[in-house]
Amino acid sequence: MPSIKLFIHRRRFFYTLLLGMLVTIYINLYHSTSNNINNNDLFLEPNNISLCFKRQSIDQQQFKGNSCLPYNPTINSVVWTHDGTGIMKYIQWIVTRKLGNIRISRLNDECELIQENYFSTGSKDNTYVQIYILSLTMNFNNNSTCSTDLIRIIKFSMHKINQIYFKRQSIQATIIYQYLDKIRPIHNFTFNRNISFDPIIKKAKFVTDYLINYFQNKSNTKSIIINSEDMIHSNLNNSEKILTDFISLLGFNTLTQTFKNIVQYDCYQFIQDATWWDQSETGKYILLTLLNVKLETIDKSNDFYHLHGNHSFVKYVSDNRQCFNDGTFFQIQSETITKRTSTDKPERCPFKQFDCAFSDMYSFNDREQFYQSYVPNNYFNTNPIKCGFTVQTTLDRVRNRYAHNYKCQIIVITCITNCYDNLPIIQDTVPPNTCFVALLDTKTIDAFKRHFPTGTQWDFIDLGDTDSLFRVPAEVTETVKMLGHRMFPMAKWFVWLDGKAFIINIKEILSLARTPIIGLHHHDFNRTSELEVNLTISRVILREQSNPAQLNITLEEIELQRAEYIHDGFYSRSNSIGLPMFDIAIFIYRNNHPCSFRYLCGWHNEINYYSYRGQLSVYYSAERLNLSDYLGFIPRRFYHTLGHRTMC
């Protein structure tokens, strides 16, 4: 019996030992496999709550998918930032141009997840950049749950993927932009003097200092700090490089020719002059203004400081931030939809195929999309705006000719076809770095070369046969008048002159400007947009009476336009607020103002979609976009208008 019992004990021991060995092998194998997955795919079981931000209970339904780190599919990089840091203009660009997938997660003061937005390119590549928007007043100390959760998640993958802390050097500017964006929806820009920013700034400084120290830790080999101020350059080549480096840092592909073309096409909107509305110096200027600090020492070399029309500078900056969010990235020619037919009745695009293709405007719905505001919870408009240049024309060659021209700070531009006018007359002081560009059809350019055998200060550009462009040659003139910023992206000012214009002292006109868009007050002070319709009809009948078919199409377009403006209530609104009529023989506007972009684009689309006569729609987009106060007038002493002087 004892021997049997001993045998049984030995057998049990052997099985126990064998089982232990098998368990050990399984555990080691599991760990090895798990480590390989973590290193290569950054995969984590969704139920591991140690790497999850808690969700605010009242907003559970708005979250989709796994909110933990790391995600599956994997993330390219993680960006930690705050509202008001200036990063969103770059994210909007990435999303609009479909450079990569983006997920934005917003946290409250307790580090609870309160909002998530996912922006997809629609491609098969499911990797994306994770962006966390942190509160600057969050409960952040060594003992809080918020701090514990935040640092745990930041530490995770710190040695595997890039962790970027995007901020401003100026806490004050960050706070003021947060305040500005918060009060904008209620349209109340009256500053409450009882509000003190000091406690918020103090708390924000504590939070940012803690994060800066953590991201600067030498052991965090993949952590990077980017200051918004470092992204801004005045040089175009530097701007292209910083955009490319930033996109590469996020983990997106920058080696394709498509990406290189996009950067070259869009980088103008990120240069120093174009981003004034989102720079720290502007934010600090606003804060000092609100606090009634003496501003004699403030650098006003950027002349946008005085361009605020009838509004406060606070509202002026806020409007431009909103206009940028509503969309200023123009549609690229490769995005143009070809061989489409209009969904409107009557069919109009078959009569003006180039006009429709030039802006990719085929229907009333296309036109209306421009005026639709984005959903605030989505941060920004993600669609490129349709605004000319969607097919190759001579105007693209003009852009290529001047695209990198830093010397032409001011472009004086005219367009004359069919020898309709002589060159405009310019008298007295012209600012330095002013360039003169005349867009002429072949017939007119030949006549001018004979008339000016020794040359002029004007750069003559041959448009060829304008009949090969728009259905009505006069639309070439109307188009270049409002799309100068598309052809001369590096200029600061555009001074449009009809051939009949006589302008005096351009330098003083610009120095006195109080709105970013200025023109002539119509000599008939009783003229309104509504009264202009019948006057235009009389004008086109006289101009196009030799071509009955063309005349009928033009009159039909004018009547369609009038019917829509009546239905929309434009005439009643513009008459009630007394909008004085513009004479657009001289039309001047400041480049790199997001609201100017949107107004000019909208005005062009009205001309492109309806009648080529710009007087009919000069106020429509401005009034509908609530930008009519952005249109001002040139003092009468600075101009004359002459009669038309044929050259042939």
Side-chain angles (χ1 to χ4, degrees):
M1 290 293 295
S3 61
I4 295 176
K5 289 182 179 180
L6 180 61
F7 173 77
I8 292 174
H9 284 301
R10 288 178 176 174
R11 187 170 61 180
R12 286 177 179 173
F13 175 78
F14 173 78
Y15 285 143
T16 301
L17 182 62
L18 179 61
L19 180 61
M21 292 175 62
L22 290 174
V23 169
T24 301
I25 293 172
Y26 174 80
I27 292 174
N28 290 335
L29 180 61
Y30 173 82
H31 283 170
S32 175
T33 306
S34 177
N35 288 336
N36 287 335
I37 292 175
N38 280 333
N39 288 333
N40 297 327
D41 299 325
L42 298 178
F43 175 78
L44 187 72
E45 292 292 334
N47 60 1
N48 189 335
I49 63 172
S50 65
L51 294 173
C52 304
F53 284 113
K54 296 177 182 178
R55 297 174 177 177
Q56 193 177 50
S57 58
I58 59 174
D59 292 326
Q60 286 288 341
Q61 293 183 353
Q62 68 172 299
F63 302 109
K64 297 180 180 179
N66 176 22
S67 64
C68 305
L69 273 180
Y71 293 91
N72 184 17
T74 59
I75 55 175
N76 291 327
S77 57
V78 179
V79 180
W80 306 88
T81 190
H82 314 282
D83 283 325
T85 60
I87 193 175
M88 280 302 171
K89 58 181 174 291
Y90 303 106
I91 302 306
Q92 182 177 0
W93 175 57
I94 292 169
V95 172
T96 302
R97 294 300 183 219
K98 298 186 183 302
L99 301 178
N101 302 317
I102 298 284
R103 182 192 289 271
I104 302 177
S105 302
R106 179 181 295 277
L107 307 177
N108 63 12
D109 283 355
E110 301 303 323
C111 292
E112 294 174 327
L113 195 60
I114 57 175
Q115 180 184 339
E116 273 194 350
N117 299 79
Y118 186 78
F119 301 96
S120 172
T121 63
S123 68
K124 294 181 180 180
D125 181 9
N126 291 322
T127 61
Y128 56 87
V129 170
Q130 171 64 49
I131 298 176
Y132 284 113
I133 301 180
L134 307 175
S135 169
L136 281 174
T137 57
M138 61 185 175
N139 183 13
F140 207 58
N141 57 62
N142 293 332
N143 300 319
S144 71
T145 303
C146 177
S147 304
T148 303
D149 291 346
L150 185 65
I151 296 303
R152 181 190 299 118
I153 292 176
I154 291 177
K155 281 184 177 180
F156 184 82
S157 301
M158 184 66 80
H159 300 283
K160 303 171 185 176
I161 58 176
N162 287 336
Q163 303 264 338
I164 302 164
Y165 182 35
F166 193 102
K167 66 178 188 67
R168 289 187 193 273
Q169 289 177 334
S170 171
I171 297 295
Q172 292 86 348
T174 306
I175 295 298
I176 199 62
Y177 281 131
Q178 287 189 10
Y179 174 76
L180 210 61
D181 295 339
K182 181 179 179 180
I183 65 174
R184 199 199 186 289
I186 60 177
H187 303 285
N188 181 11
F189 294 95
T190 302
F191 180 60
N192 184 352
R193 299 295 173 185
N194 294 324
I195 294 178
S196 174
F197 289 101
D198 290 341
I200 302 175
I201 292 174
K202 183 178 180 181
K203 177 68 173 177
K205 190 175 186 308
F206 172 80
V207 170
T208 54
D209 285 348
Y210 190 101
L211 290 171
I212 290 170
N213 289 334
Y214 187 82
F215 278 95
Q216 283 180 338
N217 192 317
K218 292 182 180 180
S219 63
N220 299 334
T221 57
K222 287 282 188 176
S223 66
I224 301 153
I225 297 176
I226 296 179
N227 290 316
S228 179
E229 293 87 348
D230 297 333
M231 298 282 290
I232 306 300
H233 295 272
S234 58
N235 182 279
L236 198 61
N237 293 330
N238 290 341
S239 181
E240 288 184 13
K241 184 179 185 305
I242 200 70
L243 286 174
T244 302
D245 291 345
F246 183 61
I247 297 302
S248 178
L249 184 63
L250 293 178
F252 297 137
N253 188 1
T254 60
L255 300 179
T256 66
Q257 188 59 47
T258 299
F259 172 79
K260 294 176 182 177
N261 293 340
I262 289 173
V263 170
Q264 187 178 44
Y265 190 80
D266 288 332
C267 65
Y268 308 96
Q269 292 205 51
F270 297 101
I271 61 174
Q272 185 173 14
D273 190 56
T275 55
W276 59 267
W277 53 272
D278 197 32
Q279 290 176 18
S280 294
E281 64 172 13
T282 303
K284 289 188 289 187
Y285 179 89
I286 291 173
L287 182 61
L288 294 176
T289 302
L290 295 176
L291 298 176
N292 287 329
V293 175
K294 292 184 178 181
L295 302 175
E296 288 82 358
T297 59
I298 297 295
D299 179 13
K300 297 184 181 180
S301 58
N302 288 333
D303 57 359
F304 62 80
Y305 279 127
H306 66 256
L307 297 175
H308 48 80
N310 299 322
H311 301 301
S312 67
F313 185 65
V314 172
K315 185 180 186 304
Y316 181 67
V317 174
S318 181
D319 283 348
N320 279 273
R321 293 174 68 79
Q322 178 71 21
C323 286
F324 189 90
N325 290 339
D326 283 338
T328 60
F329 295 106
F330 301 112
Q331 181 170 311
I332 296 176
Q333 290 176 348
S334 61
E335 298 170 330
T336 305
I337 299 176
T338 59
K339 298 182 179 179
R340 267 175 43 175
T341 57
S342 171
T343 59
D344 292 358
K345 294 181 181 180
E347 296 283 344
R348 297 187 301 116
C349 275
F351 297 106
K352 43 188 239 176
Q353 293 183 355
F354 178 84
D355 305 44
C356 288
F358 186 71
S359 281
D360 200 19
M361 297 287 292
Y362 289 82
S363 71
F364 184 78
N365 287 336
D366 286 332
R367 169 186 172 271
E368 279 297 291
Q369 285 178 5
F370 176 80
Y371 297 110
Q372 296 172 0
S373 297
Y374 72 99
V375 179
N377 286 340
N378 288 340
Y379 298 104
F380 40 67
N381 180 19
T382 60
N383 296 317
I385 59 175
K386 298 177 178 181
C387 190
F389 290 82
T390 58
V391 289
Q392 283 284 337
T393 68
T394 307
L395 301 180
D396 290 278
R397 294 200 293 272
V398 177
R399 177 187 173 95
N400 293 337
R401 187 163 172 170
Y402 281 89
H404 288 75
N405 191 322
Y406 292 90
K407 295 182 179 180
C408 297
Q409 297 277 301
I410 298 170
I411 294 288
V412 178
I413 183 171
T414 191
C415 179
I416 303 171
T417 61
N418 200 29
C419 297
Y420 194 63
D421 277 312
N422 202 334
L423 291 170
I425 298 174
I426 301 167
Q427 181 178 304
D428 289 345
T429 309
V430 175
N433 298 320
T434 298
C435 298
F436 300 83
V437 179
L439 307 182
L440 314 168
D441 62 356
T442 301
K443 178 182 178 180
T444 305
I445 200 171
D446 289 342
F448 278 5
K449 287 180 178 178
R450 291 192 299 269
H451 190 72
F452 302 103
T454 60
T456 72
Q457 62 184 338
W458 292 86
D459 178 12
F460 291 160
I461 298 179
D462 192 346
L463 294 175
D465 182 5
T466 54
D467 291 335
S468 65
L469 296 177
F470 298 96
R471 177 176 54 85
V472 179
E475 190 171 339
V476 178
T477 300
E478 298 296 338
T479 295
V480 299
K481 183 179 299 184
M482 60 200 66
L483 294 182
H485 53 289
R486 304 295 307 279
M487 294 181 288
F488 308 95
M490 292 302 292
K492 287 189 175 183
W493 283 98
F494 300 99
V495 180
W496 165 266
L497 303 176
D498 275 0
K500 65 179 183 178
F502 188 116
I503 192 168
I504 304 167
N505 202 332
I506 293 176
K507 182 177 181 180
E508 189 172 357
I509 291 173
L510 298 183
S511 68
L512 294 175
R514 288 298 177 269
T515 57
I517 303 167
I518 51 178
L520 309 185
H521 202 303
H522 202 283
H523 67 274
D524 181 357
F525 277 65
N526 295 318
R527 188 78 64 92
T528 65
S529 296
E530 186 174 21
L531 293 175
E532 186 68 28
V533 179
N534 287 332
L535 295 168
T536 294
I537 289 175
S538 300
R539 182 187 181 96
V540 299
I541 289 175
L542 181 64
R543 174 181 285 186
E544 299 179 7
Q545 58 185 344
S546 61
N547 188 343
Q550 176 65 58
L551 176 60
N552 288 337
I553 295 172
T554 301
L555 293 178
E556 179 183 277
E557 289 172 346
I558 292 174
E559 291 301 337
L560 282 171
Q561 187 172 23
R562 172 155 59 181
E564 170 56 28
Y565 285 7
I566 291 174
H567 176 265
D568 181 63
F570 166 62
Y571 295 136
S572 60
R573 294 194 304 269
S574 61
N575 291 341
S576 66
I577 60 178
L579 291 180
M581 195 61 190
F582 257 78
D583 181 342
I584 50 180
I586 300 177
F587 192 74
I588 300 174
Y589 52 95
R590 181 70 161 81
N591 196 12
N592 295 326
H593 280 58
C595 287
S596 297
F597 283 168
R598 291 199 48 87
Y599 159 68
L600 292 166
C601 181
W603 184 24
H604 168 252
N605 285 340
E606 293 302 309
I607 288 175
N608 188 264
Y609 190 76
Y610 287 121
S611 168
Y612 66 84
R613 175 72 171 156
Q615 293 283 56
L616 294 177
S617 51
V618 64
Y619 263 123
Y620 179 80
S621 291
E623 192 276 334
R624 188 161 179 187
L625 295 170
N626 296 315
L627 298 174
S628 56
D629 286 337
Y630 281 61
L631 277 65
F633 294 100
I634 301 170
R636 183 64 185 85
R637 66 183 183 274
F638 290 114
Y639 66 88
H640 305 293
T641 52
L642 310 172
H644 294 290
R645 303 158 293 158
T646 182
M647 286 294 297
C648 297

